Each structure stands twice: as C-alpha cells, then as structure tokens.
Amino acid sequence: MDVTIPYRGSKGPLHLLVDSTGIKVEGEWHRRKHGASKRRVWRKIHIGIDEETLEIRAVEVTSGNAGDAPMLPELLKQIGLDRQIATVTADGAYDTRACHDAIADRGAAEIIPPRRNARPWKRDSAGARARNEILRASKHLGRALWRNWSGSHRRSRVETKTNCVKLLGQRLMSRDFDRL
C-alpha cells in the first residue's frame, strides 16, 4: 500500500535526519485465545524527517530482521528528484558503501559517524571519497569534537520523533504485512 505523506515543506534544501525503531506485533485473536505468546514478532519502522519542520518525509515498514542501512536508498527514493537534499544525518549503522553512494548520487553531504574500527576505503566512488574525508576529520579532531563540528548531534531530533511514533502505539495488532 502506497501512502502519500502530506508536508508543508521547508525553505531551501532539505536536511534529512534518518533513524529506525522496532515495534512489537501482536495478533489480537491469538492473544485473546491463548494469552500472551513467548515468541515475539517485530516490525521495523524506518523514517526520514525534515530537520527544520520535523515532518516525516519518508517512511518504510519492514520485517524485524531487516537492517537499517539497506533501507536508506529506499527512503531517499521517496523524496522527489526535484527536491534538493543538502545533508543526510544518520547514526553509525548507516556507515556502509551503499548508503554513502546513495547519498552521493543525490548530491548531498553525509553526516554519518564512522564505526570505531573504521578503515579508509579505496577511492573508487564519490561516496567512498566523502566517507574517507569524514574518517580523516574525525580522527584529526577526535570523535566528540567532530560530532559538534559536523552537527551530528542534530540526529537526536529524529530519535525523539521515532519515540513519538512509538507512543502512538507500542504494538501493532496485525501480523499481516498489508494491514500494518
């Protein structure tokens, strides 16, 4: 089911904040009939919000075993090519070649902290070059100073938004994917 999310929009280029969260799925009939089950089923909600307006601009619901990083290109596809993306800010789970390349393809700057054991990548793509620059800056400045300098701390806004989404309902009441 395709859902169009209305938004007011912000002035200037979009600063996208990306995160994901898990929500427990519970079958209503099964719970009433047999009580709470010991086996839990989870779904993941991946969202991208506009930093300025805090409106959700892209959303994907996946099974609980789907990773965060493979969904970033899908989130970026939901934002029209006519809309310029200035930056994409995400946590270290998105520090993959596919994510950096997808962001570079949209002409955006990435603010993704490198993993603790990160090594430079071969410079064969724009995403790899940008990621190597982030790695070099974070090693030169130190992780804490790099986070303040780059604006990585703005990621907390999307984490607050995912918490708001979870407050709407701690559980989904259907296991059928189309009914979620």
Side-chain angles (χ1 to χ4, degrees):
M1 176 169 69
D2 291 330
V3 178
T4 303
I5 302 171
Y7 61 93
R8 291 183 304 245
S10 57
K11 296 178 178 128
L14 174 67
H15 295 275
L16 190 68
L17 307 173
V18 179
D19 198 17
S20 65
T21 187
I23 295 184
K24 186 168 72 166
V25 177
E26 192 170 304
E28 182 66 27
W29 175 86
H30 189 271
R31 187 173 56 84
R32 279 185 295 173
K33 179 83 171 162
H34 303 289
S37 68
K38 292 180 181 165
R39 188 182 73 121
R40 293 190 179 135
V41 177
W42 294 86
R43 296 287 184 249
K44 276 186 125 173
I45 297 178
H46 308 267
I47 64 171
I49 67 168
D50 183 345
E51 180 189 5
E52 185 179 325
T53 63
L54 300 181
E55 293 178 322
I56 296 175
R57 294 299 309 271
V59 64
E60 283 285 332
V61 178
T62 61
S63 63
N65 59 0
D68 295 352
M71 297 314 300
L72 181 64
E74 299 300 320
L75 293 173
L76 292 175
K77 285 179 189 174
Q78 292 182 23
I79 298 169
L81 294 174
D82 58 330
R83 182 74 165 123
Q84 181 186 2
I85 300 175
T87 60
V88 176
T89 305
D91 60 21
Y94 296 90
D95 185 27
T96 65
R97 283 186 186 271
C99 290
H100 286 282
D101 288 341
I103 295 168
D105 288 345
R106 289 297 300 261
E110 53 234 35
I111 303 173
I112 300 173
R115 298 171 191 242
R116 294 238 182 244
N117 60 352
R119 301 271 182 236
W121 292 341
K122 292 183 181 177
R123 296 175 177 251
D124 58 350
S125 68
R129 287 187 293 276
R131 194 263 189 179
N132 288 342
E133 187 63 30
I134 291 170
L135 180 62
R136 188 182 65 73
S138 69
K139 283 188 177 183
H140 179 72
L141 297 172
R143 290 180 73 83
L145 190 56
W146 177 82
R147 286 178 192 265
N148 287 335
W149 173 76
S150 67
S152 176
H153 59 280
R154 297 180 302 193
R155 187 173 38 90
S156 65
R157 291 181 172 179
V158 72
E159 291 171 357
T160 302
K161 187 61 124 180
T162 56
N163 189 39
C164 291
V165 169
K166 285 182 100 165
L167 290 177
L168 290 174
Q170 291 291 333
R171 308 181 197 107
L172 299 172
M173 299 307 274
S174 174
R175 289 185 190 206
D176 185 8
F177 217 77
D178 293 335
R179 292 184 184 152
L180 297 176

